[in-house]
Amino acid sequence: MSLIELQSHSTVSDGQLPPAGVVEEAATAGVTTLALTDHDAVAGVPEAATAAERLGVELVPAIEMSCVHEYAEDLHICGYWVDLEQIAPACERAQLERRERAGEIVENLRREGFDLTLEDAIREAGAADSIGRPHIARAAGASGDLGPFFEEYLVPGAKAFVPRRWPSAEQAIELIRDAGGAAVIAHPYWDISAPGEVEDLIRSLRPDGVETFYPPHTREQTAHLLALCEELGMVPTASSDFHGPTHKTFAKFGDYDTYGLGEPRVPARP
Ligand code: AMP
Ligand code: MN
């Protein structure tokens, strides 16, 4: 039996476990092929690779890049098989922009009456290379299910939201490919709800694959993505987006449904 899990997060971005802990959790759950895809960061990959070798799990070196697109102010693109040194400058720039954006979001939250500073958010990020909105939410006092706080303050259109400015989706794909990687659009129906926009996004960006099997994707959405992959010669991938054992939404491996429609695959090393 194979179990493919091509998206997961560690304490290097907004996950709960260190990289080796993510791999241990995956091995326990029977994952056979894993990618650690920290947001805009690859510092956890070497530790994950060592743990994976010890535990007999195949580890694909990877990253999840946040980017902007006209259909989604927050679109995620995974890069598999990226060369860690070649992708490093893009990570550094993205991490710097994340800190600047965090400062602006903190200012907006202060205007809304929250008593927090950027330093509080940085402290909340702990060992993470990539500070993100979950860290800011917790620094502002949110806990447990961050959903309601996100909906009120941190999603596009909400009171304290600040859009990302770089990279565009096209640039993210180019950065991944220039670093020797295969570019896969992550969870399209998580970021975009209109099927026409999802289809247009995939047809225009022409990634190497699409994350087709994903816990929140419905049967209909999964079938749509699978049909597009078949038509366009793209690889349908899968993940449960593991963020840690007590994460409110993404807490376990093996959580996605194939609905019996097909099987996920791993993008070939370019
Ligand atoms: P950022 O890296 O700042 O773009 O934040 C992305 C992270 O925020 C994701 O990995 C999720 O963990 C979290 N997130 C995004 N949208 C929501 C939401 N509506 N509710 C709760 N968490 C969310
Ligand atoms: Mn993602």
Side-chain angles (χ1 to χ4, degrees), residues 54-257:
R54 172 167 56 84
L55 295 163
V57 174
E58 182 194 16
L59 187 95
V60 179
I63 186 170
E64 183 178 27
M65 295 195 72
S66 293
C67 59
V68 286
H69 186 275
E70 60 170 313
Y71 294 151
E73 285 191 85
D74 185 27
L75 188 71
H76 292 175
I77 299 189
C78 290
Y80 299 106
W81 306 110
V82 285
D83 181 278
L84 303 188
E85 280 182 26
Q86 286 179 38
I87 201 73
C91 293
E92 273 169 39
R93 176 165 174 190
Q95 289 164 15
L96 191 65
E97 300 223 357
R98 278 173 171 275
R99 277 192 294 279
E100 288 171 6
R101 179 186 188 220
E104 293 173 44
I105 294 174
V106 164
E107 280 312 309
N108 288 350
L109 286 170
R110 289 177 63 83
R111 224 184 38 228
E112 293 294 325
F114 290 93
D115 179 24
L116 84 159
T117 63
L118 178 58
E119 284 63 43
D120 295 333
I122 290 172
R123 201 173 314 117
E124 189 61 49
D129 286 343
S130 292
I131 189 168
R133 286 172 288 162
H135 304 126
I136 301 167
R138 280 195 292 270
S143 61
D145 182 4
L146 301 179
F149 189 89
F150 261 77
E151 294 305 319
E152 187 164 2
Y153 298 103
L154 300 181
V155 298
K159 293 172 188 166
F161 181 75
V162 175
R164 239 181 210 94
R165 301 178 187 100
W166 179 90
S168 67
E170 289 82 0
Q171 287 170 325
I173 289 175
E174 197 179 333
L175 287 163
I176 288 165
R177 288 183 174 153
D178 284 351
V184 172
I185 298 181
H187 44 66
Y189 274 111
W190 177 254
D191 300 307
I192 302 172
S193 51
E197 290 189 356
V198 166
E199 180 151 345
D200 193 40
L201 177 86
I202 293 168
R203 286 189 188 280
S204 61
L205 289 178
R206 291 290 168 140
D208 303 294
V210 177
E211 191 172 59
T212 298
F213 305 102
Y214 187 71
H217 284 176
T218 65
R219 182 189 182 93
E220 196 180 3
Q221 292 167 342
T222 303
H224 182 209
L225 297 174
L226 199 55
L228 280 170
C229 283
E230 279 167 15
E231 182 197 329
L232 302 171
M234 298 171 181
V235 177
T237 67
S239 90
S240 306
D241 207 352
F242 181 76
H243 276 69
T246 63
H247 191 271
K248 278 287 172 218
T249 319
F250 301 111
K252 64 179 205 281
F253 286 106
D255 206 27
Y256 62 84
D257 199 338

